[in-house]
Amino acid sequence: MLDQITKPKTITSDTIANAMTYSQYRELVDALFSEGKTTGENQSEAYLEYTRMAIQRMNRWDKVAKVSPEMEERVKKLPPQIWLVITEAWCGDAGQTIPYMNKLADLNPGIQLRLILRDENPDIIDAHLTNGARSIPKLIALSPGLNKEYFSWGPKPKYLIEKQRAFREDPKGKTSKEFTQEVHLWYARDKNQSLEQELGDCFSQAFDI
């Protein structure tokens, strides 16, 4: 399976060296929010509110997110790699999914989870667009030497990608706020099961694990 993987673009050793651990990312987000700020150029009240909600969700998932025994065994079998996550503090989908990624990475000492901010790394996100958009979060799994890209995932579970597409094509009288509320209710009920399944599929395709 490994002979089918592709080379990453624009990601260098400096990218990884300057990237944040999950703890450093959480500290940055919390520190900025305590000052009435968020990451990125948009410092509007709306984005500050998005950040507040993302912090609440990360706090919750840090405590309650569970990895299935089957997934735990699969993660422990993965070869050494770097998981580079492109994100921003105000991203609702990131707040729902990154804590689970961190729990997976903690299971295998060979996995380095590192995070970078989208707006500070336009060349990297532009090499990993989703249908032409700079959608986040984006998880990119790389070989330790950065010469291979094993797989990528994001910006959200496939179910939500399809629901979002359908909403944009025909809102059926539903407001964006109502749709967003439904999305986060789905995350709460799904409990990362869809994310686990999709990442498991990535492991199977990349490593036959």
Side-chain angles (χ1 to χ4, degrees), residues 23-50:
S23 295
Q24 290 170 334
Y25 173 70
R26 291 301 318 270
E27 290 171 3
L28 171 66
V29 173
D30 289 346
L32 286 173
F33 187 71
S34 70
E35 298 172 0
K37 300 176 183 178
T38 187
T39 61
E41 296 181 0
N42 192 328
Q43 298 292 318
S44 66
E45 288 298 324
Y47 271 59
L48 290 176
E49 177 62 14
Y50 298 153

Side-chain angles (χ1 to χ4, degrees), residues 118-189:
R118 182 193 69 176
D119 295 350
E120 293 181 3
N121 297 275
D123 55 335
I124 296 177
I125 188 62
D126 285 347
H128 296 85
L129 299 176
T130 302
N131 296 323
R134 291 178 167 179
S135 302
I136 52 175
K138 198 77 171 186
L139 165 62
I140 307 161
L142 304 158
S143 63
L146 305 181
N147 61 321
K148 296 177 180 178
E149 182 176 311
Y150 293 142
F151 65 84
S152 66
W153 179 91
K156 62 189 72 182
K158 294 175 183 177
Y159 173 83
L160 291 181
I161 291 176
E162 177 58 28
K163 293 292 286 187
Q164 185 176 54
R165 182 198 62 77
F167 172 73
R168 287 174 174 172
E169 292 179 356
D170 184 8
K172 292 181 169 47
K174 191 180 302 178
T175 65
S176 294
K177 183 177 180 179
E178 289 171 337
F179 176 74
T180 299
Q181 290 173 339
E182 289 183 5
V183 165
H184 291 294
L185 179 60
W186 180 88
Y187 271 121
R189 291 173 174 170

Side-chain angles (χ1 to χ4, degrees), residues 45-205:
E45 288 298 324
Y47 271 59
L48 290 176
E49 177 62 14
Y50 298 153
T51 302
R52 183 189 68 78
M53 291 188 291
I55 290 172
Q56 286 185 343
R57 289 163 184 148
M58 288 189 288
N59 287 340
R60 176 175 180 269
W61 288 124
D62 282 343
K63 294 178 181 178
V64 305
K66 302 294 184 183
V67 178
S68 72
E70 179 185 14
M71 188 62 160
E72 181 174 347
E73 289 304 310
R74 296 179 74 182
V75 171
K76 288 179 178 178
K77 294 177 182 177
L78 292 174
Q81 56 195 276
I82 298 167
W83 287 3
L84 183 66
V85 179
I86 310 171
T87 186
E88 290 287 349
W90 43 261
C91 178
D93 292 298
Q96 296 281 17
T97 57
I98 292 178
Y100 179 78
M101 297 176 196
N102 180 59
K103 286 189 180 278
L104 290 183
D106 280 346
L107 295 171
N108 186 330
I111 298 175
Q112 297 180 57
L113 177 66
R114 296 293 183 268
L115 299 97
I116 59 174
L117 300 178
R118 182 193 69 176
D119 295 350
E120 293 181 3
N121 297 275
D123 55 335
I124 296 177
I125 188 62
D126 285 347
H128 296 85
L129 299 176
T130 302
N131 296 323
R134 291 178 167 179
S135 302
I136 52 175
K138 198 77 171 186
L139 165 62
I140 307 161
L142 304 158
S143 63
L146 305 181
N147 61 321
K148 296 177 180 178
E149 182 176 311
Y150 293 142
F151 65 84
S152 66
W153 179 91
K156 62 189 72 182
K158 294 175 183 177
Y159 173 83
L160 291 181
I161 291 176
E162 177 58 28
K163 293 292 286 187
Q164 185 176 54
R165 182 198 62 77
F167 172 73
R168 287 174 174 172
E169 292 179 356
D170 184 8
K172 292 181 169 47
K174 191 180 302 178
T175 65
S176 294
K177 183 177 180 179
E178 289 171 337
F179 176 74
T180 299
Q181 290 173 339
E182 289 183 5
V183 165
H184 291 294
L185 179 60
W186 180 88
Y187 271 121
R189 291 173 174 170
D190 184 71
K191 295 181 173 64
N192 294 293
Q193 292 180 51
S194 295
L195 174 57
E196 179 173 293
Q197 178 63 52
E198 292 179 20
L199 288 178
D201 291 343
C202 290
F203 301 161
S204 296
Q205 293 170 13

